[in-house]
Amino acid sequence: MGISSAPGVVDEKTIPLPNDALPDTSDVAHASNGNIIDHGLQRGLKNRHLQMIAFGGVVGASIWYGTGSALSYSGPVGALICFLIIGIDVFFVMQSLGEMSTLFPIQGAFIELAGRFIDPALAFALGVNYFYLWCTNIANDYNNISLIMGLWTDAVPPFAWILIFWAGFQCTSLLGVVVYGEMEFYLACWKLICVVGGFLVAILINTGAIGGEYIGFRFWRNPGAIANGINGFGKTFVLAAVYYAGTEMLALTAAESRNPQRDLPKAIRQTFWRILVIFLGLVFFAGILVPYNDNRLLNASSKSAQSPWAIALVEAGWEGGGNLVNVVMITAQLSSVNSAIYVASRSLVALAVNGRAPRFFARTTTNGVPVNAIVFSNVVGLLSLLNIAATPGKVFTYLINISGAATFIAWAFIGITHLRLRKAWVVQGRSLGELPYKAMFYPYGAWFVVLLNLFLVFISGYEVFVGEFAAVDFVFSYVVIAIFTVLYLGWKFVKGTKIVSPAEADLVTGRRDYLVHAEEDSASEEKPNTPWYISLKRIIFS
């Protein structure tokens, strides 16, 4: 299997192109399966892949007991409020991404666009921020596996489970984007079925059909609907951001989509609503299954943790109910780890291609698999081995704090980049009618994203100032802000970058308009009649 060399490293100075410049297709090749190889990566993802990849990556195993953490932090109503507010935040984030990524379906997506429309130094800082965000997600997923497996046996230490699954995921992540897309599609379909089943089980338990005892909204009255005040809200905001994080990964898949201008807007709309309904549904049903002060829910002192569904099934008289929930969580983990490795590695590839990371990471196989970036990203995920020195519950808390702060920073700069792109578009005399996708409620939605996420990144560590000050907790809550600032200022000083003028911003490179025509020609050759069972599958899963 050959290795293709990395594309040329670009200069940090923005080079404006004439508005009538044509897209360069000279470096476009084809993989052995006929798909386009675009700047090293294979454009092999179909519409159904895009719609399920983000869903599968976001709805991981940890959401089944992470909802328990949300309950213990802020109570059932408090958790619902936090997840709803972050859901609105994500809606506008996705609107901004939809407009930018359909116009420029390039490697690095919003990371590279931040360098193009704001400052190249920002692309470096944001790219590294997004890379370690997803590396901490990989680590968190492995830590979650050790938590889940710890419910079945304590004979195997947590680090052993991590290493076993690490080796397995290292193999599956190297199979290529087409295999990855197919795996994610079917695993995400399975997770969707499990979530619907979870809703039904919660209804049956709550109404007494399972267990024989009607619960209703008893736990909203005793111990209560809201817990821990503003401290609880701050912690739940971070938790909600971590669980919603990954919805924006659709922007990165644009670089490997067959037709991003057609497929990405559909995927953004449908994926967002699926995720919002699922998260709000899981938080709501968890809140009517168990009280928020149940000590079996996940917290910082947990060596293992139980899902609210497992607790409720046991309370209803089914002692083996936890085993069923564990099976669901382990199968859910299969896709979320793969998705985390995918996003982390593609973020690293984008940094390397543009000269912001060693070019070694930009190398791909002849079929467009970035082997070096994948292996390195998965190795960094072994941060999960920190649970050797601390409990898995404490490691979960630390990784959530890092991921949450990094997510807020990424979302805030997505909004800022969108505002700058629109300004450049208008200043250079472009018509809004040329945009393949226009964000709803612009510019109010973009400003909402910027202001809300900048606010949340600073209050996310509010708990460390309440009661006795804990230096370690303070560092894990705010170290991301310090690192991001140092990365930005350091790169700006070393490379001498400047703020990009809207009048000089590049509005041509990376448009990939030729992909639209290629797909249209291919589609015109397909048979118009679609079997009924295929149509039914598309309605349910796509």
Side-chain angles (χ1 to χ4, degrees), residues 90-438:
V90 173
F91 173 78
F92 288 115
V93 168
M94 296 307 293
Q95 288 297 309
S96 292
L97 280 177
E99 183 171 308
M100 293 190 293
S101 297
T102 51
L103 185 62
F104 299 105
I106 59 175
Q107 289 185 35
F110 59 89
I111 297 170
E112 294 308 316
L113 294 180
R116 183 183 298 193
F117 295 105
I118 305 176
D119 187 340
L122 182 61
F124 171 71
L126 195 58
V128 175
N129 174 82
Y130 202 65
F131 171 69
Y132 62 64
L133 186 166
W134 279 98
C135 285
T136 56
N137 281 345
I138 296 171
N140 201 21
D141 281 335
Y142 287 137
N143 186 62
N144 294 337
I145 289 173
S146 70
L147 279 166
I148 297 167
M149 301 305 292
L151 290 173
W152 272 323
T153 178
D154 57 4
V156 179
F159 75 86
W161 288 122
I162 291 172
L163 293 175
I164 291 170
F165 279 87
W166 180 89
F169 285 119
Q170 185 64 80
C171 295
T172 59
S173 62
L174 294 173
L175 295 177
V177 70
V178 175
V179 175
Y180 163 75
E182 290 296 327
M183 288 174 57
E184 284 300 294
F185 176 77
Y186 290 107
L187 287 170
C189 290
W190 165 247
K191 282 201 278 191
L192 183 59
I193 294 170
C194 290
V195 168
V196 173
F199 289 174
L200 294 175
V201 169
I203 293 171
L204 294 174
I205 294 174
N206 185 267
T207 57
I210 295 178
E213 181 182 1
Y214 177 75
I215 299 174
F217 291 90
R218 176 194 310 169
F219 300 130
W220 289 30
R221 296 187 296 271
N222 181 27
I226 296 178
N228 301 318
I230 189 172
N231 183 26
F233 274 92
K235 294 168 75 173
T236 309
F237 275 134
V238 174
L239 187 65
V242 171
Y243 283 132
Y244 278 110
T247 316
E248 77 285 340
M249 79 164 66
L250 278 171
L252 294 177
T253 64
E256 294 177 86
S257 168
R258 289 185 175 182
N259 189 343
Q261 289 192 13
R262 182 195 65 189
D263 296 340
L264 201 59
K266 294 179 184 177
I268 285 173
R269 285 191 295 266
Q270 296 183 19
T271 301
F272 168 77
W273 290 113
R274 282 181 185 144
I275 292 172
L276 180 68
V277 170
I278 286 170
F279 279 173
L280 292 181
L282 287 172
V283 172
F284 170 77
F285 284 119
I288 62 174
L289 287 177
V290 297
Y292 71 74
N293 58 357
D294 193 304
N295 59 15
R296 289 169 291 184
L297 297 174
L298 179 65
N299 55 61
S301 62
S302 301
K303 292 185 178 179
S304 62
Q306 292 192 38
S307 161
W309 275 260
I311 296 171
L313 285 170
V314 171
E315 291 295 322
W318 185 14
E319 293 296 330
N323 293 323
L324 174 63
V325 177
N326 258 23
V327 171
V328 170
M329 290 195 293
I330 282 295
T331 55
Q333 202 67 62
L334 295 177
S335 67
S336 57
V337 176
N338 266 339
S339 291
I341 296 173
Y342 172 85
V343 179
S345 61
R346 269 48 176 192
S347 301
L348 184 56
V349 169
L351 285 169
V353 164
N354 290 280
R356 301 184 184 111
R359 291 186 61 183
F360 171 78
F361 294 119
R363 294 178 180 173
T364 62
T365 67
T366 52
N367 279 328
V369 180
V371 175
N372 299 334
I374 288 172
V375 172
F376 182 75
S377 300
N378 200 25
V379 168
V380 176
L382 289 177
L383 283 170
S384 53
L385 292 176
L386 286 171
N387 67 17
I388 296 174
T391 64
K394 194 64 176 177
V395 173
F396 175 85
T397 302
Y398 288 153
L399 293 175
I400 285 292
N401 287 340
I402 294 174
S403 299
T407 298
F408 291 140
I409 290 173
W411 289 351
F413 280 102
I414 286 173
I416 295 172
T417 304
H418 185 203
L419 291 167
R420 294 283 293 180
L421 184 155
R422 274 290 190 103
K423 185 173 183 179
W425 197 259
V426 173
V427 167
Q428 295 188 27
R430 298 277 185 155
S431 168
L432 295 182
E434 297 179 59
L435 297 173
Y437 179 86
K438 289 186 282 293

Side-chain angles (χ1 to χ4, degrees), residues 480-505:
V480 173
I481 301 176
I483 293 174
F484 183 84
T485 304
V486 170
L487 288 172
Y488 172 71
L489 295 178
W491 193 263
K492 190 172 184 65
F493 175 77
V494 172
K495 295 294 184 178
T497 64
K498 297 180 180 179
I499 301 295
V500 178
S501 168
E504 298 178 352

